[in-house]
Structures are given as C-alpha cells and as structure tokens.
Amino acid sequence: MKEEQQVRNPKGLLISLCAVMMMSVMNGTMFNIAVPDIAKTYQLMPSEVSWVMTGYIMVYAVGALTYGKLADYYPYRTLITFGLSIFCAGSLFGFFAQNYGMVLLARVIQAVGGAMIPALVFLAPIRYFPNERGKVLGIVSSVMAFASGVGPIAGGFIAGFLDWRYLFLTSAMIIITLPFLRKNLPQEESKKGYIDYVGAALIAGVISTLMLGITLGITWLFLFTVLFFVLNLWRMKAIDEPFIPAHLFKSNQYRATIITSFLGVVCLFGMMFMLPIMFRDAYGLGTMMIGLVLFPGALSAALMGQKGGNLVDSKGNTFVLYMALGLLGTGFVVLSTLVGAHPYIVSAAIIIAYMSFPLVQASSADILANILHKNETGVGMGVFNLLNFVSGALSGALIGKALDVFNPNQPFNWLGFEGTTAVYSNIFLAFSLIILLGFLQFRMNFYKKEHTYAQKKPASL
C-alpha cells in the first residue's frame, strides 16, 4: 500500500503506461507490413530482409528479461528514461539510414531501448496498483492486443501514402510519453544487489541461438542452444545469486502458469501470423482490406480487457484463466469450422478467440504476481515476457513450415470447408488441442490448492 501512495496521479500513470505500450506494440507490427518495401528498396532476398524482424525480436526478447532483472534493483524512472531515449535515437537513426546495414543497426538500437517497455509495463501494476492489479493488468493487456490489430493498418497506410522510412519517424514519437511517465512515477532509490552478468550472457546465448534457429531454419544452431543451456544450468548451481534463480522453476505453480500462458500465446500469435496470409492467399484480399477484416477482433480484445481485469480482482485469477482458455479453445473450433465461408463471417468468428488475448495475459500475470517473492518479481515476470516473444517466433516458424509442406483438400474437421482453406482449418483444430493440453496441465497442478490459491490477495485488499 505504501508504494501505491507514492504515485501522485495513478490515472495519469496508467494512461502513460497504456500509451507507451500502444506505440511499442504498433512499432513491431507496422514493420511486418513494410518488409516487402524494404526488400524492394535495397533489392534484397527474403532471407536477407528477414533480419529486419529477426534481429529486432532476438534483441527484444533478451532485453525484456534483462530489464526485468534490473527492475529489481534500479528505479523505474531511471530505466524508462534510458530505454525510451535509446529507442527514440534508434528510430531517428533509421529514418535517416542510407543503406540496409544502417536500417538493421537502427532496428537493433530500437530493440535495446524498446525491450524495457513490456518488462516495466507489466511490472508497474504489480508495484503501484496492488488494490486494482487485475484491472490494470487487464487494461494493459487489452491495449497490447488492440495495438497488434491496429499496427498493420497504420503501417500499411503510412508506408502506402508516404514511405516505409516514415515508420521510423512515427516510432520516434514514443518519446512524448517520457515526461508524463517521469512525472507520475514515484521517486525511488537504487537497491543493493548482485547482478550475474555471466549468467545473463549465457541466457542471451540460449535465446539468440534458439530464435535464430527457429526463424532462419538453421538446425545446427540448436546444438549451441543446448550448450548454452547446459552452461547456464551449471552457472545457476555454481553461484549463490544467479541471473535466474533456479528455485523459480521448482515451484509447480510458477511452472504450470508460464507453461499454460506460453501455450496460449503460441496459439494467439500463431493465429495473428496466419490470418493475414490466409486472407491474402485463400481469399485474395489486399493489405488494407485484411486490416479492416481483422479490426473487429482487435477491438473486441480492447473492450474485453478492462472487464476481464475486473473479473480477476472479483472472481480470482484462476477463474479468469479457465474462462480465457475456454473462450480460446471454443474460438479455434469455430474458426476451424467456418474458415472458407465469407470473410465477414470469419471476421465475426475471430472475435471469440481474439477477445481472450487480454484475459490470458492479465490472469497469468496476476497469478505470477501472487507466486513470486517481492525481490524476484522483476526476473520472474521477465521470464514471462521472454517466453511470450519466443512463442511468437516459434509459432510463426512452425506455421510457415506447415503452410509450405501441407496442402490438403479435405479438413480433419468434418464440418469444415473443403478446398484451399482446409490447411488453415486443420491448424485451428490443432490450436484447440494445444489449448486443451494447457488447460489440463494447469488443472492438474492447481487442483488440490486451487480454491485457497485463487483467493490469495494482498493484505490491503
């Protein structure tokens, strides 16, 4: 409660957090649209231009975990000032880039600064809004989902009417949120603590080789992933304060929650990755029309977020997670059945799955906040954010490979449409089975303590 009183204007802080999250997520999704234009400008092969996204995601994922760890010791105002300043500098550098190498460097600089945003935005509700933590997490998650849907529309508009370089200039506008964040964040002192930089480097090795192997399809890199992983396990046992405490993963509750969240986000990101491809290849829709068809889903996620957050506070985090998984599984079954129908019908069906995005994020984050010790909230939530980004790379790579290899005419879902959409129907059906798996493993790990755990709240509540 003491930390909440330090916030001069809680509403202003929440608005600032949502604004910076909105612009950060849009930065990532806008550049998805611009990749073909960048390739055309510099006459690049697909494997070459893919580094615009691959390099960004790789640095972003490792950075999100690192900032989460740093947040356990350094004031949020210091970290957010550093992160946004670096991000803005990278954006301006990209706008004036003269060659492809400079564009890649700009994206890496952006990622170094931007990785701070999800780490701190998901930690701020836990630290500063203990009485309304679920509600605030729901709002933040809904903004994230909404920005994921709006980003491609905004990116297509800017790149189409101006030039893809203006995406960098648009991203640089994020700096306008910094004065408001600094004004509303409380003054805090740095805490003494040891940071295991060797362990951080080993974790970076695990994540970078894993993501490069996934996104670029270079299988021998997984050997280095295993090597870095083994070295990291050794490091975690060899010192007293490793970068990621080993006992985090010894908790059945923590492990079950991040696994369930990971499986849910894999399917959600997989859906977001696949739908534009499906509407382009199977329906023949243009970029702007695809954005409009997807927009109702993004809007539904935004509207659901606040209500879902209130449910977390009133009904309990596990109740909302079960509800989210039920909605998500149902939505994928409906999509598996209706893919092949008129685009507007599919657009309506997408709403069922899309609206669960903020529910999964908010309920999982709230459960983790209850599990984690105060001094380990940063790194614990950092692992949560890290897995979210890895899930995006993993789902995109696997779905891309599935679309390349499989071309069935008959869907496994006997109610589904035959023809070119059959492969998409099968993938949605597979998503529903993954969600069922996540539900069962979560239920199994929480069954005995579910009632008492769901009621666990801070004393101030």
Side-chain angles (χ1 to χ4, degrees):
M1 187 69 177
K2 181 180 178 182
E3 285 177 320
E4 186 186 31
Q5 292 174 339
Q6 293 176 343
V7 179
R8 296 179 181 177
N9 184 0
K11 185 176 180 180
L13 175 58
L14 177 57
I15 292 173
S16 301
L17 290 171
C18 290
V20 75
M21 176 61 99
M22 180 86 173
M23 298 180 75
S24 172
V25 175
M26 286 183 63
N27 172 72
T29 54
M30 285 191 305
F31 273 91
N32 285 335
I33 296 295
V35 165
D37 292 335
I38 297 174
K40 182 178 180 181
T41 300
Y42 297 110
Q43 298 180 343
L44 302 171
M45 298 291 291
S47 59
E48 295 173 315
V49 76
S50 67
W51 279 97
V52 170
M53 297 306 300
T54 300
Y56 182 84
I57 294 173
M58 185 173 65
V59 176
Y60 203 89
V62 176
L65 175 58
T66 304
Y67 279 111
K69 181 69 173 181
L70 293 174
D72 288 331
Y73 302 110
Y74 294 99
Y76 281 19
R77 292 182 68 180
T78 300
L79 294 176
I80 210 158
T81 300
F82 173 81
L84 289 184
S85 299
I86 295 297
F87 182 88
C88 182
S91 300
L92 293 175
F93 184 79
F95 180 69
F96 294 105
Q98 299 298 310
N99 53 60
Y100 183 55
M102 293 178 68
V103 172
L104 287 183
L105 179 58
R107 289 291 281 167
V108 170
I109 296 172
Q110 276 190 322
V112 169
M116 167 276 308
I117 296 169
L120 301 191
V121 166
F122 273 98
L123 285 170
I126 298 171
R127 178 174 291 191
Y128 302 123
F129 299 90
N131 290 338
E132 298 180 300
R133 186 175 63 203
K135 177 182 177 180
V136 175
L137 284 169
I139 293 173
V140 169
S141 299
S142 67
V143 169
M144 182 178 178
F146 181 70
S148 298
V150 173
I153 300 175
F157 179 84
I158 294 170
F161 287 91
L162 296 172
D163 183 80
W164 62 265
R165 291 179 178 84
Y166 282 87
L167 296 178
F168 278 111
L169 194 60
T170 303
S171 298
M173 293 175 62
I174 200 171
I175 198 68
I176 64 177
T177 64
L178 181 57
F180 301 98
L181 287 165
R182 288 187 57 86
K183 177 181 178 181
N184 293 307
L185 284 169
Q187 290 278 4
E188 296 172 312
E189 299 294 330
S190 298
K191 302 175 184 178
K192 293 182 178 180
Y194 169 75
I195 297 179
D196 177 23
Y197 291 106
V198 174
L202 292 175
I203 289 292
V206 172
I207 300 305
S208 59
T209 54
L210 175 64
M211 298 193 73
L212 285 172
I214 291 172
T215 55
L216 301 182
I218 305 176
T219 55
W220 57 263
L221 281 174
F222 296 130
L223 296 176
F224 287 95
T225 303
V226 174
L227 175 61
F228 281 119
F229 182 75
V230 171
L231 289 174
N232 184 66
L233 290 179
W234 168 79
R235 182 72 179 178
M236 291 168 71
K237 295 179 180 179
I239 65 173
D240 294 331
E241 297 183 46
F243 190 73
I244 299 179
H247 65 261
L248 281 181
F249 303 101
K250 293 179 181 179
S251 166
N252 290 333
Q253 296 169 342
Y254 181 83
R255 194 168 60 246
T257 303
I258 62 173
I259 289 174
T260 302
S261 174
F262 176 80
L263 294 176
V265 175
V266 160
C267 296
L268 281 164
F269 281 172
M271 177 185 71
M272 294 178 187
F273 172 82
M274 186 174 68
L275 285 174
I277 298 174
M278 182 188 76
F279 282 122
R280 182 194 65 201
D281 294 345
Y283 285 88
L285 301 183
T287 301
M288 188 60 67
M289 189 62 191
I290 290 173
L292 294 175
V293 170
L294 297 179
F295 183 74
L299 183 61
S300 71
L303 296 175
M304 175 58 74
Q306 184 171 353
K307 185 172 182 61
N310 288 329
L311 285 174
V312 169
D313 289 329
S314 62
K315 297 292 186 180
N317 39 41
T318 54
F319 171 84
V320 175
L321 183 56
Y322 286 141
M323 183 177 72
L325 294 174
L327 276 174
L328 199 51
T330 301
F332 288 140
V333 171
V334 171
L335 280 169
S336 175
T337 303
L338 294 181
V339 164
H342 193 280
Y344 292 160
I345 295 176
V346 179
S347 177
I350 291 170
I351 292 175
I352 303 173
Y354 224 123
M355 67 194 305
S356 68
F357 190 117
L359 300 182
V360 171
Q361 293 275 291
S363 57
S364 298
D366 194 71
I367 291 172
L368 293 176
N370 279 338
I371 295 170
L372 294 166
H373 187 273
K374 180 180 177 181
N375 294 332
E376 295 175 339
T377 303
V379 66
M381 294 302 294
V383 173
F384 170 72
N385 284 314
L386 172 67
L387 290 177
N388 283 344
F389 296 117
V390 172
S391 68
L394 178 64
S395 60
L398 293 179
I399 289 172
K401 181 63 68 175
L403 295 178
D404 288 341
V405 174
F406 301 108
N407 188 27
N409 189 60
Q410 182 69 39
F412 291 124
N413 184 343
W414 62 276
L415 294 175
F417 286 78
E418 298 180 2
T420 57
T421 58
V423 64
Y424 302 103
S425 174
N426 291 343
I427 292 174
F428 281 125
L429 192 61
F431 283 167
S432 68
L433 296 177
I434 293 173
I435 296 302
L436 178 61
L437 176 63
F439 177 90
L440 292 175
Q441 77 88 26
F442 186 84
R443 182 74 180 179
M444 181 176 64
N445 283 281
F446 275 80
Y447 182 77
K448 292 182 179 180
K449 298 183 179 181
E450 180 175 347
H451 179 71
T452 56
Y453 180 72
Q455 299 301 320
K456 183 180 178 183
K457 293 289 180 182
S460 58
L461 292 179

